[in-house]
Amino acid sequence: MAASTAMSAGRMRLVQQLCVPARTTFTRTSSSFVRSFASTSLLGKDGDEPQGHLPGHPSSVFLTSLNDSFFDRVKPKTLSGNANAQGGIPTYRLMDGVGRLLPGVTDEMVNITQAEAVKMYRTMLLLPQIDVILYNAQRQGRISFMMTSYGEEGAVIGSAAGLALQDEVFAQYRESGVLLWRDFSIDHFMSQVFGAEDDLCGGRQMPIHFGSTKHHFHTISSPLATQIPQAAGAGYALKRTKGREGNVVICYFGEGAASEGDFHAGMNLASTTKSPVIFFVRNNGYAISTPASEQFRGDGIASRGPGYGMLTIRVDGNDALAVRSAVQSAKAKALSEQRPVLIEAMTYRVGHHSTSDDSSAYRSKQAVESWKQMDNPLHRMRNFLTDRGWWNDKLEEETKVQHRKLVIEAMGRAEKKKRPQLSSLFEGTYRGEMPGNLKEQRKELALLIEKYGALPVWSKELAKHANAGKDMEQYREDKA
Amino acid sequence: MGLSECFGRDRVFNTPLSEQGIVGFAIGVADIGHTAVAEIQFADYIFPAFDQIVNEAAKYNYRSAGQFHVGKLTIRAPCQSVGHGALYHSQSVEQFFMAVPGLKVVVPRSPVQAKGLLRASIVDSNPVVFLEPKFLYRSSVEEVPVDDFILPLSEAEVVKGGDHITLLSWGGPLYACVQALELLANPPREIAKHVPQAVRSANVELIDLRTILPWDRQTVIQSVAKTGRCIVVHEAPVTAGVGAEIAAEVQKSCFLNLQAPVIRLGGWDTPFPHVGELFYKPEAIRILDAIITSLTY
């Protein structure tokens, strides 16, 4: 170590030689000036709390009984003295299993207009139409991949209906219903799935990885839970953006993703930075083949909220109206109290995980069927509307026929569209000037296409792209 | 120091101790359009955030076709050796990020460089990993303009011109390179017999790469085409280090000019040790030996 230290001292003298004075190559962009803002810190001083207590928890009592000191759950305070407490965290719902308002629930509590309720149900009906048509299209090899939303229509559309169209959405991948609620066009939907020329995301990602700035829907990515801390940061930025103080971020994820480290990171960061974010967990019982019982041993995801000091609610995810009002209320609280809220929506993944999964390998078809019959978000919403005379069999039939036509026609159009031109493969890796190595590689591919483009396997693929790969010709020369 | 008092705690604040959270959070802030400068306490601890940097930040613009991007994100982290940092306070991590399209990776060598390159990184429209050699935090002193200025990214700097051999490095090891040049010209008595008279007057071109990704191939290739010899020095282990990428590119572009094999000098292919640091790092003696090997090839 002595030798090393001596060497380091020698290097410190050499430092001067590599530290050259500022040269004329510097771009001067502004003059310096002195900031005179006063500190805005209002934090209390260390030691203000009574000695022997945890910071922030001065009410923590001391126990001397070792047995009484162990605990494994945090009970919501609303349950004090309530017999339901034995069953764990309660679930908020407004409708029963067949769509009738529960005893004590009034229309005022539901607080929804006919127009909005009908729009919700219509959008809920559109999802399975898209799902069945695209699921079959994948089975026929017309698209590469598909994930359906069967069984979660109530949770997704209900939550979307509880928000403003400008609230920012960070999704996992089973929330395309939010885009449909926001009137994302079916053509754009199909263009993404087919990787068509007019896909807003340039045909670069797998099907159902949507994104649209206009719809405040941040582009989906496959890595699970990465969007959770990002949503926390977005929430923090929103409250600091002039004119956006009335908006929140909603961040969707499944109960499986909640096991990722990013869940912990995001929840804690949103809470400590007091960011207005709604964390919306779709607890549908399965993460591909892993049942929730092998995902966690606590009381679902909701039980974790209080550990982060977060306002939390568990809601019946198949009760679209309860989900809507829970989200509305969560948003109001997130804004007025400047803090995140956790919503756990209990639902059931009726469909397979994806087109690459056959769920009958790990759960019985009978179990799925009984879920569909016993607790179906679509049936419940339909009965709610029918009871009020807002819906009938004729409308149901007409809507389904309309939706089917809409979806099939849009799919037909998307299927005929060209893919984005081939040169776009290289674009957008960096914003601004394309680095030389990428330009060189683009030239390399252009020369290869010139030589081998006529090969059947290449020419067939090239023909699927806009300009049939001819846009690459301009890059055969050095453009670096 | 003092930034929080000056600009307020809503702009300069502590986060919980969670690297993946810090980077994920900063990505979200940048996504909404705000400038986000995140700090990872030591580059050694950037790996918990590797997923957020590689899968998310670097691909944000590409995967959304420019609809969403995190160009206003800069991640700062102290890097490289410090004399006694051992395994987790010494690492050079630039090679892991050099393989990630969509990122920029920058390492400054001095206070002027640090300010100019950091300002460039913050205003650049792409996410940047900015690695600060912590050995230089308090040892490197020079006149730095108080005014705002920018040094360009992706431009290497020829620190000292020469035409016999190209010596390329970045950050802390540049100081070992300067020391090696002194040893070459005036070898101490103990090692003089190993330094042939003919090489002592060699004119070495010393280049500071400054930006690791996208790196300045033009400056490096021009230099090696002129000198015909090239040594790349970094503290990270040799295998799959940045030197491997540069050596491959140099042999592709300078094949007819090369008069000796490209030499890569790095840490040995071991974790960074505590008590053996002097013998682990590419110190001046090893660089001197490589220069002699190349010049006498």
Side-chain angles (χ1 to χ4, degrees), chain A residues 127-148 150 186 189-190 193-194 207-208 210 355 407 411 414:
Chain A
L127 260 179
Q129 289 288 353
I130 293 176
D131 283 348
V132 73
I133 289 163
L134 284 180
Y135 185 83
N136 290 329
Q138 195 282 334
R139 295 282 106 160
Q140 295 158 8
R142 292 157 76 184
I143 57 171
S144 61
F145 180 77
M146 178 60 193
M147 299 175 107
T148 65
Y150 293 124
I186 303 288
F189 195 108
M190 290 297 167
V193 169
F194 281 85
I208 68 128
F210 300 105
T355 47
V407 174
M411 186 171 84

Side-chain angles (χ1 to χ4, degrees), chain B residues 123-169:
Chain B
V123 299
D124 192 89
S125 57
N126 295 283
V128 181
V129 174
F130 191 86
L131 301 167
E132 302 168 359
K134 60 179 131 6
F135 170 70
L136 303 172
Y137 273 151
R138 282 178 282 276
S139 64
S140 179
V141 179
E142 67 183 344
E143 292 281 332
V144 180
V146 178
D147 285 358
D148 195 13
F149 68 92
I150 277 172
L151 291 173
L153 300 186
S154 291
E155 281 186 25
E157 186 188 1
V158 179
V159 178
K160 178 190 157 308
D163 44 24
H164 294 145
I165 184 167
T166 301
L167 186 55
L168 174 68
S169 192

Side-chain angles (χ1 to χ4, degrees), chain A residues 73 75-76 78-91 299 314:
Chain A
R73 70 182 61 183
K75 289 179 184 169
T78 51
L79 291 185
S80 306
N82 185 326
N84 285 335
Q86 299 308 314
I89 296 170
T91 302
D299 187 357
R314 173 175 286 163

Side-chain angles (χ1 to χ4, degrees), chain A residues 322-340:
Chain A
V323 173
R324 173 177 166 273
S325 73
V327 169
Q328 281 175 338
S329 177
K331 178 179 172 177
K333 288 176 190 298
L335 289 175
S336 66
E337 299 177 28
Q338 288 291 294
R339 64 191 294 206

